């Protein structure tokens, strides 16, 4: 397990890697796109239309061995991750081989019984300090069902949450969260979602803004709310967050999320943003073997199948160096929450703001 102190101690190393290309650093924040197969038909996502020759569990294990203990935070995404029969075994393999501090999985909650079974199997077999399942919640009642493209989905989310809360009683390393994608499809319902979430009291809650992503095949779609519209929704959330008392890691998470929501507002206004550490401290490995800096542009550093599953060969390849050079020269961070946390961790001004929010009563 990698502790927080170790992560903080490596900040100067990642800054040097971004600035000078030395020392060579593997990422600490990994997203593994397990498959594009999905049983949702979301208005904000077309990933289910993609067909790929997905990596097998045996292939994933080779990748995990090649990255070793470099991950601090791992996200397993899709598609719908829980569709995959080998999901639990994949999480167990990550835990045993890579020993990350955090493993996070989002879900649309449609496969309630399967989610219940796989989560129990995972929790019985891992030692990861923080295992998180985030339930997608983009509206209340029929609004959620319409955005997600599946009738009855909202009821499944509530059922799934109830089941996972029961499982949580036995496993202190298990956290349950909700996630909302704020888009032009659900703007009018966001306040109702926030009120419901605070009533249910999950361990965490995060909203992300809908945007054009290569991964989701949404480039060209008009999904993103305006600055004015988004601010109304997120300011309501900030007021609710400010009123709620947090302790320990919850207070730390809230501090980072305050900065994240301000960051998104600045992005919508076209303001200069913090340096992008995607491709330096964070990355995505797709189900078809490509290594990307992030899911926004989907720039391909190389395919691990062509590198005998050796992540380092791709990560330190000439093409990866070229992409990193462009990121450093032209890129600024995008409002993808996962990548933002890596970028903000290596930006001292943001860290100071976070520490201030943690320290004040």
């Amino acid at each position: 397990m990698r502790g927080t102190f170790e992560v903080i101690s490596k900040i100067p190393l990642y800054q040097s890697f971004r600035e000078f290309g030395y020392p060579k650093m593997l990422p600490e924040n990994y997203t593994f796109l397990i498959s594009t197969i999905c049983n949702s038909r979301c208005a904000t996502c077309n990933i289910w239309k993609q067909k790929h020759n997905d990596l097998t569990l045996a292939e994933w294990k080779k990748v995990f061995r090649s990255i070793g203990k470099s991950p601090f935070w791992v996200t397993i995404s899709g598609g719908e991750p829980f569709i995959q029969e080998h999901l639990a075994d994949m999480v167990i393999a990550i835990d045993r081989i890579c020993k990350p501090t955090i493993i996070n999985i989002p879900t649309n909650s449609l496969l309630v019984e399967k989610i219940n079974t796989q989560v129990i199997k995972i929790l019985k077999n891992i030692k990861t300090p923080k295992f998180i399942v985030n339930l997608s919640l983009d509206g209340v009642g029929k609004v959620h069902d319409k955005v997600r493209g599946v009738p009855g989905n909202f009821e499944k989310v509530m059922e799934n949450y109830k089941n996972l809360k029961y499982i949580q009683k036995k496993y202190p390393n298990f956290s349950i969260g909700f996630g909302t994608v704020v888009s032009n499809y659900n703007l009018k319902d966001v306040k109702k979602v926030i009120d419901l979430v605070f009533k249910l009291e999950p361990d965490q809650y995060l909203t992300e803004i809908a945007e054009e992503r290569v991964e989701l095949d949404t480039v060209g779609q008009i999904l993103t709310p305006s600055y004015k519209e988004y601010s109304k929704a997120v300011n309501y959330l900030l007021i609710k967050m400010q009123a709620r008392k947090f302790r320990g890691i919850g207070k730390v998470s809230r501090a980072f999320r305050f900065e994240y929501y301000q960051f998104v507002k600045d992005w919508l206004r076209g303001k200069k943003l913090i340096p992008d550490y995607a491709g330096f401290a964070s990355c995505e490995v797709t189900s078809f073997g490509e290594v990307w800096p992030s899911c926004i542009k989907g720039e391909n550093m190389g395919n691990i199948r062509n590198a005998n599953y050796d992540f380092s060969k791709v990560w330190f390849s000439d093409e990866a160096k070229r992409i990193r050079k462009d990121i450093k020269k032209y890129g600024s961070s995008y409002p993808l929450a996962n990548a933002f946390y890596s970028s903000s961790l290596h930006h001292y001004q943001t860290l100071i703001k976070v520490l201030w929010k943690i320290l004040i009563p």
Side-chain angles (χ1 to χ4, degrees):
M1 181 191 78
R2 299 174 60 199
T4 303
F5 177 77
E6 183 182 352
V7 173
I8 293 173
S9 70
K10 290 186 176 180
I11 292 175
L13 300 179
Y14 278 105
Q15 291 178 333
S16 179
F17 179 44
R18 189 179 191 277
E19 187 66 26
F20 307 109
Y22 184 85
K24 292 182 177 180
M25 303 291 290
L26 291 175
E28 56 190 357
N29 182 350
Y30 291 79
T31 296
F32 299 126
L33 174 64
I34 189 172
S35 178
T36 58
I37 297 172
C38 192
N39 47 0
S40 290
R41 295 295 181 264
C42 301
T44 57
C45 177
N46 296 311
I47 198 170
W48 59 274
K49 295 180 180 180
Q50 301 177 32
K51 305 295 181 183
H52 298 289
N53 179 20
D54 291 341
L55 292 168
T56 65
L57 178 60
E59 288 179 301
W60 277 116
K61 286 182 179 180
K62 291 178 182 179
V63 176
F64 302 153
R65 294 188 189 101
S66 76
I67 66 177
K69 295 180 176 61
S70 62
F72 174 77
W73 184 334
V74 170
T75 298
I76 300 177
S77 70
E80 169 52 36
F82 283 95
I83 284 180
Q84 298 302 309
E85 297 297 333
H86 61 266
L87 173 64
D89 292 325
M90 181 175 176
V91 176
I92 293 167
I94 294 170
D95 171 79
R96 294 178 179 176
I97 298 170
C98 303
K99 303 186 185 304
T101 299
I102 302 169
I103 298 177
N104 174 56
I105 306 176
T107 179
N108 60 21
S109 294
L110 289 173
L111 303 172
V112 175
E113 293 183 6
K114 192 171 184 179
I115 293 169
N116 187 77
T117 301
Q118 293 200 46
V119 166
I120 291 174
K121 180 178 178 179
I122 290 168
L123 289 168
K124 283 182 176 179
N125 290 280
I126 67 170
K127 296 181 180 179
T128 301
K130 185 66 70 175
F131 174 63
I132 307 167
V133 174
N134 277 318
L135 284 56
S136 297
L137 184 62
D138 292 340
V140 176
K142 292 183 179 180
V143 174
H144 176 79
D145 295 351
K146 184 176 181 180
V147 173
R148 307 295 295 189
V150 180
N153 195 166
F154 178 77
E155 293 180 3
K156 294 282 188 180
V157 175
M158 295 299 103
E159 183 182 358
N160 193 29
Y161 182 65
K162 180 181 178 180
N163 289 348
L164 295 179
K165 288 294 288 184
Y166 180 79
I167 295 171
Q168 188 181 41
K169 295 177 182 179
K170 191 175 178 180
Y171 299 96
N173 64 327
F174 180 37
S175 293
I176 310 164
F178 285 104
T180 301
V181 176
V182 180
S183 71
N184 288 326
Y185 295 102
N186 65 350
L187 267 173
K188 295 180 180 179
D189 208 54
V190 171
K191 287 186 178 181
K192 293 180 181 179
V193 177
I194 294 170
D195 287 339
L196 175 61
V197 168
F198 274 79
K199 180 180 179 180
L200 293 171
E201 297 186 330
D203 300 304
Q204 62 180 44
Y205 177 58
L206 177 68
T207 70
E208 284 193 281
I209 192 166
E211 58 188 315
E212 298 179 20
R213 297 185 190 176
V214 169
E215 177 194 52
L216 305 181
D217 193 23
T218 54
V219 177
Q221 288 188 225
I222 303 174
L223 305 172
T224 309
S226 68
Y227 166 77
K228 183 178 180 180
E229 293 169 328
Y230 176 79
S231 295
K232 285 181 182 178
V234 80
N235 288 344
Y236 182 74
L237 173 58
L238 291 172
I239 292 171
K240 301 278 282 189
M241 288 172 63
Q242 190 68 50
R244 183 177 172 184
K245 298 295 182 181
F246 290 87
R247 295 180 180 178
I249 191 66
K251 196 169 185 180
V252 175
S253 297
R254 182 182 69 170
F256 271 102
R257 283 178 181 155
F258 265 97
E259 291 306 314
Y260 169 68
Y261 294 132
Q262 184 58 52
F263 169 87
V264 177
K265 288 194 285 186
D266 289 342
W267 177 77
L268 285 169
R269 289 191 292 176
K271 292 183 67 175
K272 185 177 180 180
L273 304 176
I274 65 177
D276 192 358
Y277 273 79
F280 297 92
S282 63
C283 73
E284 175 159 330
V285 182
T286 71
S287 64
F288 42 98
E290 291 185 358
V291 177
W292 298 349
S294 74
C295 66
I296 303 297
K297 291 186 176 180
E299 298 157 304
N300 181 20
M301 293 178 159
N303 196 299
I304 51 178
R305 279 175 166 152
N306 299 330
N308 198 28
Y309 306 99
D310 186 339
F311 180 85
S312 295
K313 285 184 178 179
V314 175
W315 189 246
F316 299 121
S317 66
D318 289 340
E319 182 63 12
K321 290 178 184 177
R322 183 195 66 77
I323 290 173
R324 275 194 281 270
K325 185 177 180 181
D326 286 346
I327 292 172
K328 179 186 171 185
K329 185 176 182 179
Y330 304 109
S332 58
S333 299
Y334 292 88
L336 176 67
N338 202 332
F340 167 80
Y341 294 133
S342 291
S343 296
S344 62
L345 188 63
H346 299 88
H347 187 246
Y348 286 128
Q349 293 93 320
T350 301
L351 271 181
I352 291 170
K353 292 178 183 178
V354 168
L355 288 172
W356 177 252
K357 285 182 171 65
I358 293 172
L359 293 173
I360 61 175

